[in-house]
Amino acid sequence: MSRGSRAKWMFNEVGGLYLQFLIILALMVIFAFFLNSIFSIDDNELRIIFSSFFLAGFTGIIAVFRKI
């Protein structure tokens, strides 16, 4: 592997890791927002329903991305 192609490979690898890190941070903020709004609900049954919808939606999104 030549020096230029090694540098290009390392740049692509580090850029991909940085992009994954940014995606994880964005998901963390979104999850914190939704979970905070879910758990601020006083009614226990409604909280369980919304958390079930949240988990079902999250699972559906994961399934869609696995198909792509």
Side-chain angles (χ1 to χ4, degrees):
M1 184 181 304
S2 69
R3 187 175 185 158
S5 64
R6 185 180 303 150
K8 186 177 179 181
W9 176 81
M10 287 176 59
F11 180 73
N12 287 339
E13 191 71 27
V14 171
L17 290 175
Y18 183 68
L19 182 63
Q20 287 178 1
F21 177 71
L22 290 178
I23 291 171
I24 289 170
L25 281 179
L27 286 175
M28 184 176 66
V29 168
I30 292 169
F31 284 177
F33 176 74
F34 281 125
L35 289 176
N36 190 27
S37 63
I38 287 173
F39 286 111
S40 65
I41 298 171
D42 290 335
D43 188 26
N44 287 333
E45 290 84 8
L46 194 59
R47 186 184 309 148
I48 291 170
I49 289 170
F50 276 125
S51 61
S52 298
F53 283 151
F54 176 73
L55 290 174
F58 178 68
T59 305
I61 290 170
I62 294 290
V64 165
F65 279 122
R66 295 285 290 201
K67 288 288 183 184
I68 295 175

